[in-house]
Amino acid sequence: MRDGDLVGLARSLGVPGLVDIHVHFLPDQVQRKVWQYFDDAERNYGRAWPIHYRLPVPERVELLRSFGVVAYAPLVYPHKPGMAAWLTDWVTDFAATVPEAVPTATLYPEPGVVSYLDAAVRAGARCVKAHVQVGAYDPRDALLDPAWGLLAEAGVPVVVHCGHGPLPGEHTGLPVFEEVLRRHPALTAVLAHAGMPELSLALDLLDRHPRVHLDTTMVGVPFTTDIAPLPADWTRRLADVADRVVFGTDFPSIPYAYAEQVAAITGWAAAPGLGDPFLRAVLHDNGARLLGIGQDGARQLGLEHG
């Protein structure tokens, strides 16, 4: 499968296009530093990580359109205090200029987190990114407790990178984040990268917490199957939670073509009990529901908190 095949795939499934819940757009100075880190991936991760879509913002926006992506969550994330509010303001402005991009926000355990997060949700943020690994913070921090509660009450999904991949952090691990879920059972959480490499544990969390989802970002593609192989019962268990599996890619900082992720999901759909209904759910319907996107691919109105 190639990038140019994706529009036809969506058409064959009877959906207006793809909905990607895990895309990154960042301020230029931050994006440069992120790519520099990946350029040093052999030292940082022990393996090369060539960026496949190292392009200016306008070209990346047009590429997603050419792939048939009708909506996406442009995710931002801080690595130190004082960044989250600024990044949230930046991505709010970005989403206002790109029809396919839904407004998002981020957070960090710091004084004022509830204030700027509440302002973002009231302004229409549809998704929040929490990056436990990069931020190097404990998601159980008392400063974050009211923020999780705010998101739970507002029904705004949070994409949480809390797994040990690609490298474990001081506060990563699905059991750590499950403590947050126990305190906030109404929180709609999306496990980024399906909790890689602990894919079975991620599915266990979905079994115990009915509002938890997982995204497909980098799952099952050749680049990651050596460090995070799919469990033997992967497709059987996906059939039980097909309404909580959401398409995600990590575009643009992936070391392979966008279509490789779709090809992996298409491969899963060949298993008994999945098929085209599973593909429609994952590639469009589930993400559209979480992000408030109508069947025509347009944003739905009236979902603002408050």
Side-chain angles (χ1 to χ4, degrees), residues 147-195:
W148 301 129
L150 185 157
L151 295 176
E153 181 181 354
V156 174
V158 55
V159 178
V160 187
H161 187 135
C162 56
H164 289 313
L167 292 174
E170 184 178 356
H171 304 293
T172 58
L174 299 181
V176 175
F177 191 70
E178 188 170 18
E179 293 186 35
V180 174
L181 295 172
R182 291 194 184 109
R183 288 206 295 266
H184 301 280
L187 182 65
T188 300
V190 180
L191 303 177
H193 308 277

Side-chain angles (χ1 to χ4, degrees), residues 69-126:
V69 180
V70 294
Y72 53 88
L75 303 179
V76 296
Y77 51 91
H79 63 272
K80 61 183 179 181
M83 286 185 69
W86 167 64
L87 286 170
T88 296
D89 287 344
W90 182 91
V91 78
T92 299
D93 291 342
F94 171 82
T97 67
V98 180
E100 298 87 356
V102 304
T104 69
T106 190
L107 49 71
Y108 195 86
E110 58 191 341
V113 59
V114 174
S115 177
Y116 64 70
L117 189 60
D118 181 65
V121 171
R122 290 180 182 276
R126 303 287 185 86

Side-chain angles (χ1 to χ4, degrees), residues 102-105 124-128 155-157 290-293 299-304:
V102 304
T104 69
R126 303 287 185 86
C127 186
V128 171
V156 174
L290 285 184
L291 298 180
I293 306 299
R299 295 182 195 170
Q300 295 172 355
L301 302 178
L303 298 184
E304 287 79 12

Side-chain angles (χ1 to χ4, degrees), residues 39-289:
D39 288 342
D40 294 333
E42 288 190 80
R43 178 164 56 86
N44 294 324
Y45 294 138
R47 64 190 308 179
W49 193 305
I51 304 300
H52 198 79
Y53 299 102
R54 192 192 301 261
L55 298 164
V57 167
E59 293 181 40
R60 281 183 266 145
V61 168
E62 288 303 321
L63 264 182
L64 288 173
R65 288 173 180 157
S66 76
F67 300 162
V69 180
V70 294
Y72 53 88
L75 303 179
V76 296
Y77 51 91
H79 63 272
K80 61 183 179 181
M83 286 185 69
W86 167 64
L87 286 170
T88 296
D89 287 344
W90 182 91
V91 78
T92 299
D93 291 342
F94 171 82
T97 67
V98 180
E100 298 87 356
V102 304
T104 69
T106 190
L107 49 71
Y108 195 86
E110 58 191 341
V113 59
V114 174
S115 177
Y116 64 70
L117 189 60
D118 181 65
V121 171
R122 290 180 182 276
R126 303 287 185 86
C127 186
V128 171
K129 171 70 171 183
H131 207 314
V132 172
Q133 184 205 43
V134 168
Y137 58 78
D138 191 331
R140 303 163 298 185
D141 192 302
L143 285 167
L144 286 178
D145 202 56
W148 301 129
L150 185 157
L151 295 176
E153 181 181 354
V156 174
V158 55
V159 178
V160 187
H161 187 135
C162 56
H164 289 313
L167 292 174
E170 184 178 356
H171 304 293
T172 58
L174 299 181
V176 175
F177 191 70
E178 188 170 18
E179 293 186 35
V180 174
L181 295 172
R182 291 194 184 109
R183 288 206 295 266
H184 301 280
L187 182 65
T188 300
V190 180
L191 303 177
H193 308 277
M196 282 201 303
E198 299 174 305
L199 301 175
S200 290
L201 287 182
L203 289 166
D204 292 344
L205 254 65
L206 268 66
D207 289 342
R208 293 192 292 270
H209 301 278
R211 298 192 65 82
V212 173
H213 300 60
L214 57 82
D215 81 30
T216 65
T217 304
M218 300 193 79
V219 179
V221 297
F223 185 77
T224 61
T225 49
D226 59 334
I227 59 172
L230 297 179
D233 59 354
W234 175 250
T235 53
R236 179 185 63 78
R237 296 189 69 184
L238 287 186
D240 295 333
V241 293
D243 60 335
R244 290 187 284 147
V245 181
V246 190
F247 179 55
T249 62
D250 237 356
F251 175 91
S253 299
I254 45 178
Y256 46 79
Y258 192 89
E260 282 196 30
Q261 187 66 70
V262 181
I265 299 165
T266 302
W268 308 339
L274 296 178
D276 284 357
F278 174 79
L279 280 180
R280 281 192 289 270
V282 174
L283 296 178
H284 179 271
D285 295 351
N286 296 342
R289 170 175 46 82

